[in-house]
Amino acid sequence: MELTTILLFATAAVASLFMAWVIGAGSSGATPFAPAVGANAISTMKAAFLVGLLGFAGAVTQGASVSEAVGRGLVEGVTLPTAGVIVVLLLGAGLMAIGIYTGYPIATAFTVTGSVIGVGFALGGDPAWGKYAEIGAVWVLTPFVGGGIAYGLASILPRPDVPEDVSVPILAGIVGIVVANLEFSFCSSVGGTLAAAGATLVPIDGAAATVAISISSGAVAAAVVRWDVGRDQIGGLRRFVISLGALVAFSAGASQVGLAVGPLFPLLEDLPTVSPIAVLFGGGVGILVGSWTSAPRMIKSISQEYASLGPRRSISTLVPSFLIAQTAVLLGVPVSFNEIIVSAIVGSGAAVAGSAGVSPRKLGYTVAAWLGSFVLAFGLGYGSMLLLAR
């Protein structure tokens, strides 16, 4: 193998680690536990510590699908060269760093997707219209679906005719069923999910066993939460918020690591000694370090400046966030956790306090930053690659 190839790959790997660090410091490290911090369920520093560990776990066990999509699914007919990968990662990380410095959550998915498509088009690649349709649908529907579910939950939870020792356990049961059916790399040999793995241990054949395990998982989760809320309502609600934040943090690592290491995947064809798992591991470490070192600033920004969150609003925010995040992981679609969380916060805030529950000025700047970051990343990626190709 030529020394030049090794050096270029090493440079791309360093850029990827930097990108992973920025993700951990920004979107992946800040958004999952921001509602829990806003609800005073956990301190900012503890949230940053936990989100780092959980993001690392999600990156290693669920990060492959989005990584493949970012690395190979956004542009057809071309493979990004090492120089193009470096451009993509530096542009994405640079724009994210600006967002962290200014306190505005620029969406990583928008910047990386825009720069990958821009670089690919500059190299003569063709649009991947099918993938763009999936990505566009998720991006456009997320505010409506996430915000709508959050609005509905925030409207129901405080009602006296819907006791919280009933409504919250039902939500816990739904989440438990979903968790049982998440796909993990370590379960690939036994069906891919915890429910499928558990089905191999019961004397029932076929889909009935998986359904039974799934329902049992939901029932256990509901029973535990009902017992906890029944003995200590406020404490139980806060502990449920922390559990949901942990699931969202795990999902964030699974999704966001693909934005950092996905561009490296095409380069692995020339480096067969480097496995995709090793690349995911490295990305997970970068996210962990970023969360531990720099996430608190963004956590405070989201939890305090967008809305004043209590335990019920936090539950209303985190449940749809978890469901949307895992849907995106399943589809292999790069998704913005800033968009997911902020949309849910706005939906729950509208249900509780109307327009007074959110900051329109901050929200407007955030939406403008999302759209602008995609357009800017596309333009910079396209222009930079044209200059390098001369």
Side-chain angles (χ1 to χ4, degrees):
M1 184 180 300
E2 295 183 1
L3 179 61
T4 304
T5 302
I6 296 176
L7 291 176
L8 284 173
F9 182 81
T11 303
V14 171
S16 176
L17 282 174
F18 176 56
M19 181 68 179
W21 178 87
V22 172
I23 288 173
S27 61
S28 179
T31 51
F33 272 103
V37 173
N40 295 318
I42 188 172
S43 69
T44 299
M45 296 308 297
K46 286 182 179 178
F49 177 77
L50 287 176
V51 81
L53 293 176
L54 294 163
F56 170 81
V60 174
T61 59
Q62 278 195 309
S65 63
V66 176
S67 298
E68 286 284 350
V70 172
R72 298 187 175 95
L74 295 179
V75 182
E76 297 178 351
V78 297
T79 299
L80 296 188
T82 307
V85 170
I86 294 173
V87 168
V88 166
L89 293 171
L90 291 181
L91 284 176
L95 291 173
M96 279 295 299
I98 292 172
I100 293 171
Y101 178 77
T102 59
Y104 288 97
I106 292 177
T108 318
F110 286 55
T111 58
V112 174
T113 302
S115 57
V116 169
I117 295 174
V119 168
F121 284 4
L123 293 171
D126 298 319
W129 293 117
K131 198 65 179 178
Y132 299 163
E134 285 186 355
I135 294 173
V138 172
W139 288 2
V140 171
L141 291 176
T142 287
F144 299 100
V145 175
I149 294 174
Y151 182 93
L153 293 178
S155 300
I156 291 173
L157 288 180
R159 286 173 52 178
D161 58 334
V162 184
E164 288 176 329
D165 59 352
V166 175
S167 60
V168 175
I170 289 175
L171 291 176
I174 293 172
V175 171
I177 291 173
V178 173
V179 170
N181 287 277
L182 299 182
E183 292 188 356
F184 298 98
S185 57
F186 59 84
C187 291
S188 58
S189 61
V190 286
T193 68
L194 296 177
T200 62
L201 304 177
V202 298
I204 306 175
D205 295 329
T210 302
V211 172
I213 295 294
S214 300
I215 294 176
S216 298
S217 300
V220 170
V224 170
V225 171
R226 180 182 175 84
W227 169 79
D228 197 22
V229 172
R231 70 184 181 89
D232 178 11
Q233 185 182 62
I234 298 300
L237 290 176
R238 287 178 173 172
R239 283 183 285 274
F240 185 46
V241 168
I242 294 173
S243 299
L244 291 173
L247 290 173
V248 174
F250 179 89
S251 303
S255 173
Q256 302 295 282
V257 73
L259 301 172
V261 306
L264 293 179
F265 272 42
L267 305 182
L268 299 183
E269 296 176 0
D270 297 326
L271 293 169
T273 57
V274 181
S275 71
I277 293 298
V279 174
L280 290 172
F281 185 90
V285 170
I287 290 175
L288 183 148
V289 174
S291 299
W292 284 358
T293 58
S294 299
R297 176 188 173 114
M298 289 294 287
I299 291 175
K300 290 180 180 179
S301 174
I302 295 176
S303 65
Q304 295 177 9
E305 294 184 37
Y306 280 96
S308 299
L309 302 177
R312 295 166 184 83
R313 280 189 58 192
S314 295
I315 292 172
S316 303
T317 297
L318 290 171
V319 168
S321 298
F322 167 65
L323 297 177
I324 292 173
Q326 282 296 331
T327 299
V329 171
L330 179 64
L331 294 174
V333 170
V335 65
S336 165
F337 264 77
N338 289 326
E339 183 186 16
I340 291 173
I341 293 288
V342 171
S343 300
I345 287 175
V346 170
S348 62
V352 176
S355 60
V358 297
S359 169
R361 181 174 179 272
K362 182 76 173 183
L363 182 61
Y365 279 134
T366 300
V367 173
W370 290 343
L371 299 176
S373 61
F374 177 82
V375 174
L376 181 61
F378 176 87
L380 291 175
Y382 187 88
S384 300
M385 206 62 223
L386 285 181
L387 290 174
L388 290 176
R390 287 183 178 179

